[in-house]
Amino acid sequence: MKRLILFGAPGSGKGTMGELIQRDFGYARISTGDILRAEIELGSADGLKARAFMASGGLVPDDLVVELVRKRLLRGDLDGGYVMDGYPRTLAQAVALSAVACSSEKAIFIEVSENEAVDRLLSRLTCRECGAIYNLKNKPPRREGVCDICGGSVARRSDDTAEAVRRRFQVYGERTLPVIDYYDKAGVLVRVDGSGDAARVYDRLKERVA
């Protein structure tokens, strides 16, 4: 099976790009953010552990994330290929993922400036029911506070505060950039300009997916 890995700083558009790839290429989308938030909603022990880290902008411990992703990869619905959104974020996670066999692999690095990414995050809204992503500036819901897709409540994520966003950038630089180097040395890294609106970014990115 094919594996596509989406990288980028917080606010680079990984989630939106993952959804578009899923729609157009039929890949299963595996989002660690969605997995963790689902555990938090369930009130599971893993969710309670993760919540404190996510709220402060820190990374959830490797052992917890690796185990949750491992369980997801065992579901048996990935024969058509899958796209990883938000994983791996550390070298330990990258090594764990490399142990999972695949027929081909690409790691797409979406490059965007910190100022643009922060602006996007502080304007981002998310549906609490289905996870659909909106933006106050260029993609607001048709009805304020209501999801276009499922009618659920749309609001800013609790971890999308200015303080938490800046903290996530610090963590990204410390722990995730070495992962980019890991895939670059493996010869599977592809760089894509992530500036501008989502449609422009996707036009650049989709040519590199096949």
Side-chain angles (χ1 to χ4, degrees), residues 183-197:
Y183 285 106
D184 193 16
K185 290 178 178 177
V188 298
L189 185 70
V190 176
R191 296 176 183 269
V192 172
D193 179 4
S195 62
D197 61 36

mmCIF file with all atom_site columns, all heavy atoms in Angstrom, residues 183-197:
data_model
loop_
_atom_site.group_PDB
_atom_site.id
_atom_site.type_symbol
_atom_site.label_atom_id
_atom_site.label_alt_id
_atom_site.label_comp_id
_atom_site.label_asym_id
_atom_site.label_entity_id
_atom_site.label_seq_id
_atom_site.pdbx_PDB_ins_code
_atom_site.Cartn_x
_atom_site.Cartn_y
_atom_site.Cartn_z
_atom_site.occupancy
_atom_site.B_iso_or_equiv
_atom_site.pdbx_formal_charge
_atom_site.auth_seq_id
_atom_site.auth_comp_id
_atom_site.auth_asym_id
_atom_site.auth_atom_id
_atom_site.pdbx_PDB_model_num
ATOM 1   N N   . TYR A 1 183 ? 13.637 12.279 6.633  1.00 0.00 ? 183 TYR A N   1
ATOM 2   C CA  . TYR A 1 183 ? 13.041 11.852 5.367  1.00 0.00 ? 183 TYR A CA  1
ATOM 3   C C   . TYR A 1 183 ? 13.807 12.395 4.159  1.00 0.00 ? 183 TYR A C   1
ATOM 4   O O   . TYR A 1 183 ? 13.829 11.767 3.099  1.00 0.00 ? 183 TYR A O   1
ATOM 5   C CB  . TYR A 1 183 ? 11.562 12.245 5.318  1.00 0.00 ? 183 TYR A CB  1
ATOM 6   C CG  . TYR A 1 183 ? 10.708 11.339 6.183  1.00 0.00 ? 183 TYR A CG  1
ATOM 7   C CD1 . TYR A 1 183 ? 10.192 11.786 7.386  1.00 0.00 ? 183 TYR A CD1 1
ATOM 8   C CD2 . TYR A 1 183 ? 10.463 10.022 5.796  1.00 0.00 ? 183 TYR A CD2 1
ATOM 9   C CE1 . TYR A 1 183 ? 9.435  10.946 8.193  1.00 0.00 ? 183 TYR A CE1 1
ATOM 10  C CE2 . TYR A 1 183 ? 9.708  9.175  6.600  1.00 0.00 ? 183 TYR A CE2 1
ATOM 11  C CZ  . TYR A 1 183 ? 9.199  9.636  7.786  1.00 0.00 ? 183 TYR A CZ  1
ATOM 12  O OH  . TYR A 1 183 ? 8.465  8.792  8.587  1.00 0.00 ? 183 TYR A OH  1
ATOM 13  N N   . ASP A 1 184 ? 14.435 13.540 4.339  1.00 0.00 ? 184 ASP A N   1
ATOM 14  C CA  . ASP A 1 184 ? 15.276 14.073 3.267  1.00 0.00 ? 184 ASP A CA  1
ATOM 15  C C   . ASP A 1 184 ? 16.435 13.111 2.992  1.00 0.00 ? 184 ASP A C   1
ATOM 16  O O   . ASP A 1 184 ? 16.744 12.783 1.838  1.00 0.00 ? 184 ASP A O   1
ATOM 17  C CB  . ASP A 1 184 ? 15.796 15.456 3.673  1.00 0.00 ? 184 ASP A CB  1
ATOM 18  C CG  . ASP A 1 184 ? 16.422 16.216 2.517  1.00 0.00 ? 184 ASP A CG  1
ATOM 19  O OD1 . ASP A 1 184 ? 16.214 15.839 1.348  1.00 0.00 ? 184 ASP A OD1 1
ATOM 20  O OD2 . ASP A 1 184 ? 17.127 17.209 2.782  1.00 0.00 ? 184 ASP A OD2 1
ATOM 21  N N   . LYS A 1 185 ? 17.074 12.645 4.050  1.00 0.00 ? 185 LYS A N   1
ATOM 22  C CA  . LYS A 1 185 ? 18.185 11.709 3.896  1.00 0.00 ? 185 LYS A CA  1
ATOM 23  C C   . LYS A 1 185 ? 17.711 10.371 3.326  1.00 0.00 ? 185 LYS A C   1
ATOM 24  O O   . LYS A 1 185 ? 18.480 9.673  2.661  1.00 0.00 ? 185 LYS A O   1
ATOM 25  C CB  . LYS A 1 185 ? 18.883 11.500 5.238  1.00 0.00 ? 185 LYS A CB  1
ATOM 26  C CG  . LYS A 1 185 ? 19.656 12.714 5.716  1.00 0.00 ? 185 LYS A CG  1
ATOM 27  C CD  . LYS A 1 185 ? 20.295 12.480 7.078  1.00 0.00 ? 185 LYS A CD  1
ATOM 28  C CE  . LYS A 1 185 ? 21.100 13.699 7.519  1.00 0.00 ? 185 LYS A CE  1
ATOM 29  N NZ  . LYS A 1 185 ? 21.666 13.516 8.890  1.00 0.00 ? 185 LYS A NZ  1
ATOM 30  N N   . ALA A 1 186 ? 16.450 10.031 3.586  1.00 0.00 ? 186 ALA A N   1
ATOM 31  C CA  . ALA A 1 186 ? 15.897 8.783  3.053  1.00 0.00 ? 186 ALA A CA  1
ATOM 32  C C   . ALA A 1 186 ? 15.522 8.903  1.575  1.00 0.00 ? 186 ALA A C   1
ATOM 33  O O   . ALA A 1 186 ? 15.190 7.901  0.935  1.00 0.00 ? 186 ALA A O   1
ATOM 34  C CB  . ALA A 1 186 ? 14.668 8.372  3.865  1.00 0.00 ? 186 ALA A CB  1
ATOM 35  N N   . GLY A 1 187 ? 15.563 10.138 1.054  1.00 0.00 ? 187 GLY A N   1
ATOM 36  C CA  . GLY A 1 187 ? 15.279 10.359 -0.358 1.00 0.00 ? 187 GLY A CA  1
ATOM 37  C C   . GLY A 1 187 ? 13.812 10.372 -0.719 1.00 0.00 ? 187 GLY A C   1
ATOM 38  O O   . GLY A 1 187 ? 13.466 10.219 -1.897 1.00 0.00 ? 187 GLY A O   1
ATOM 39  N N   . VAL A 1 188 ? 12.924 10.583 0.255  1.00 0.00 ? 188 VAL A N   1
ATOM 40  C CA  . VAL A 1 188 ? 11.484 10.572 -0.031 1.00 0.00 ? 188 VAL A CA  1
ATOM 41  C C   . VAL A 1 188 ? 10.823 11.915 0.255  1.00 0.00 ? 188 VAL A C   1
ATOM 42  O O   . VAL A 1 188 ? 9.592  12.039 0.162  1.00 0.00 ? 188 VAL A O   1
ATOM 43  C CB  . VAL A 1 188 ? 10.772 9.458  0.776  1.00 0.00 ? 188 VAL A CB  1
ATOM 44  C CG1 . VAL A 1 188 ? 11.307 8.093  0.380  1.00 0.00 ? 188 VAL A CG1 1
ATOM 45  C CG2 . VAL A 1 188 ? 10.922 9.685  2.284  1.00 0.00 ? 188 VAL A CG2 1
ATOM 46  N N   . LEU A 1 189 ? 11.600 12.943 0.582  1.00 0.00 ? 189 LEU A N   1
ATOM 47  C CA  . LEU A 1 189 ? 11.037 14.246 0.938  1.00 0.00 ? 189 LEU A CA  1
ATOM 48  C C   . LEU A 1 189 ? 10.730 15.065 -0.304 1.00 0.00 ? 189 LEU A C   1
ATOM 49  O O   . LEU A 1 189 ? 11.538 15.154 -1.232 1.00 0.00 ? 189 LEU A O   1
ATOM 50  C CB  . LEU A 1 189 ? 12.005 15.015 1.830  1.00 0.00 ? 189 LEU A CB  1
ATOM 51  C CG  . LEU A 1 189 ? 11.490 16.350 2.382  1.00 0.00 ? 189 LEU A CG  1
ATOM 52  C CD1 . LEU A 1 189 ? 10.397 16.102 3.415  1.00 0.00 ? 189 LEU A CD1 1
ATOM 53  C CD2 . LEU A 1 189 ? 12.623 17.173 2.994  1.00 0.00 ? 189 LEU A CD2 1
ATOM 54  N N   . VAL A 1 190 ? 9.532  15.680 -0.315 1.00 0.00 ? 190 VAL A N   1
ATOM 55  C CA  . VAL A 1 190 ? 9.104  16.594 -1.372 1.00 0.00 ? 190 VAL A CA  1
ATOM 56  C C   . VAL A 1 190 ? 8.701  17.905 -0.717 1.00 0.00 ? 190 VAL A C   1
ATOM 57  O O   . VAL A 1 190 ? 7.916  17.900 0.243  1.00 0.00 ? 190 VAL A O   1
ATOM 58  C CB  . VAL A 1 190 ? 7.910  16.009 -2.160 1.00 0.00 ? 190 VAL A CB  1
ATOM 59  C CG1 . VAL A 1 190 ? 7.406  17.020 -3.192 1.00 0.00 ? 190 VAL A CG1 1
ATOM 60  C CG2 . VAL A 1 190 ? 8.278  14.703 -2.827 1.00 0.00 ? 190 VAL A CG2 1
ATOM 61  N N   . ARG A 1 191 ? 9.219  19.015 -1.199 1.00 0.00 ? 191 ARG A N   1
ATOM 62  C CA  . ARG A 1 191 ? 8.892  20.325 -0.631 1.00 0.00 ? 191 ARG A CA  1
ATOM 63  C C   . ARG A 1 191 ? 7.851  21.037 -1.496 1.00 0.00 ? 191 ARG A C   1
ATOM 64  O O   . ARG A 1 191 ? 7.979  21.066 -2.725 1.00 0.00 ? 191 ARG A O   1
ATOM 65  C CB  . ARG A 1 191 ? 10.156 21.190 -0.508 1.00 0.00 ? 191 ARG A CB  1
ATOM 66  C CG  . ARG A 1 191 ? 11.180 20.622 0.452  1.00 0.00 ? 191 ARG A CG  1
ATOM 67  C CD  . ARG A 1 191 ? 12.462 21.446 0.468  1.00 0.00 ? 191 ARG A CD  1
ATOM 68  N NE  . ARG A 1 191 ? 13.467 20.867 1.344  1.00 0.00 ? 191 ARG A NE  1
ATOM 69  C CZ  . ARG A 1 191 ? 13.619 21.171 2.628  1.00 0.00 ? 191 ARG A CZ  1
ATOM 70  N NH1 . ARG A 1 191 ? 12.829 22.087 3.176  1.00 0.00 ? 191 ARG A NH1 1
ATOM 71  N NH2 . ARG A 1 191 ? 14.545 20.587 3.358  1.00 0.00 ? 191 ARG A NH2 1
ATOM 72  N N   . VAL A 1 192 ? 6.835  21.619 -0.838 1.00 0.00 ? 192 VAL A N   1
ATOM 73  C CA  . VAL A 1 192 ? 5.759  22.328 -1.534 1.00 0.00 ? 192 VAL A CA  1
ATOM 74  C C   . VAL A 1 192 ? 5.565  23.695 -0.886 1.00 0.00 ? 192 VAL A C   1
ATOM 75  O O   . VAL A 1 192 ? 5.502  23.800 0.345  1.00 0.00 ? 192 VAL A O   1
ATOM 76  C CB  . VAL A 1 192 ? 4.438  21.529 -1.481 1.00 0.00 ? 192 VAL A CB  1
ATOM 77  C CG1 . VAL A 1 192 ? 3.281  22.349 -2.032 1.00 0.00 ? 192 VAL A CG1 1
ATOM 78  C CG2 . VAL A 1 192 ? 4.569  20.220 -2.256 1.00 0.00 ? 192 VAL A CG2 1
ATOM 79  N N   . ASP A 1 193 ? 5.484  24.732 -1.694 1.00 0.00 ? 193 ASP A N   1
ATOM 80  C CA  . ASP A 1 193 ? 5.223  26.089 -1.208 1.00 0.00 ? 193 ASP A CA  1
ATOM 81  C C   . ASP A 1 193 ? 3.807  26.147 -0.630 1.00 0.00 ? 193 ASP A C   1
ATOM 82  O O   . ASP A 1 193 ? 2.832  25.934 -1.337 1.00 0.00 ? 193 ASP A O   1
ATOM 83  C CB  . ASP A 1 193 ? 5.381  27.073 -2.373 1.00 0.00 ? 193 ASP A CB  1
ATOM 84  C CG  . ASP A 1 193 ? 5.109  28.517 -1.975 1.00 0.00 ? 193 ASP A CG  1
ATOM 85  O OD1 . ASP A 1 193 ? 4.874  28.786 -0.781 1.00 0.00 ? 193 ASP A OD1 1
ATOM 86  O OD2 . ASP A 1 193 ? 5.130  29.384 -2.880 1.00 0.00 ? 193 ASP A OD2 1
ATOM 87  N N   . GLY A 1 194 ? 3.703  26.441 0.667  1.00 0.00 ? 194 GLY A N   1
ATOM 88  C CA  . GLY A 1 194 ? 2.402  26.461 1.326  1.00 0.00 ? 194 GLY A CA  1
ATOM 89  C C   . GLY A 1 194 ? 1.810  27.842 1.501  1.00 0.00 ? 194 GLY A C   1
ATOM 90  O O   . GLY A 1 194 ? 0.834  28.010 2.243  1.00 0.00 ? 194 GLY A O   1
ATOM 91  N N   . SER A 1 195 ? 2.350  28.858 0.818  1.00 0.00 ? 195 SER A N   1
ATOM 92  C CA  . SER A 1 195 ? 1.813  30.211 0.959  1.00 0.00 ? 195 SER A CA  1
ATOM 93  C C   . SER A 1 195 ? 0.585  30.397 0.090  1.00 0.00 ? 195 SER A C   1
ATOM 94  O O   . SER A 1 195 ? 0.390  29.712 -0.913 1.00 0.00 ? 195 SER A O   1
ATOM 95  C CB  . SER A 1 195 ? 2.881  31.233 0.568  1.00 0.00 ? 195 SER A CB  1
ATOM 96  O OG  . SER A 1 195 ? 3.258  31.070 -0.790 1.00 0.00 ? 195 SER A OG  1
ATOM 97  N N   . GLY A 1 196 ? -0.260 31.350 0.484  1.00 0.00 ? 196 GLY A N   1
ATOM 98  C CA  . GLY A 1 196 ? -1.459 31.645 -0.287 1.00 0.00 ? 196 GLY A CA  1
ATOM 99  C C   . GLY A 1 196 ? -2.655 30.826 0.182  1.00 0.00 ? 196 GLY A C   1
ATOM 100 O O   . GLY A 1 196 ? -2.598 30.120 1.192  1.00 0.00 ? 196 GLY A O   1
ATOM 101 N N   . ASP A 1 197 ? -3.763 30.921 -0.576 1.00 0.00 ? 197 ASP A N   1
ATOM 102 C CA  . ASP A 1 197 ? -4.981 30.230 -0.155 1.00 0.00 ? 197 ASP A CA  1
ATOM 103 C C   . ASP A 1 197 ? -4.876 28.732 -0.436 1.00 0.00 ? 197 ASP A C   1
ATOM 104 O O   . ASP A 1 197 ? -3.983 28.247 -1.140 1.00 0.00 ? 197 ASP A O   1
ATOM 105 C CB  . ASP A 1 197 ? -6.222 30.836 -0.809 1.00 0.00 ? 197 ASP A CB  1
ATOM 106 C CG  . ASP A 1 197 ? -6.208 30.747 -2.330 1.00 0.00 ? 197 ASP A CG  1
ATOM 107 O OD1 . ASP A 1 197 ? -5.722 29.739 -2.875 1.00 0.00 ? 197 ASP A OD1 1
ATOM 108 O OD2 . ASP A 1 197 ? -6.700 31.684 -2.980 1.00 0.00 ? 197 ASP A OD2 1
#
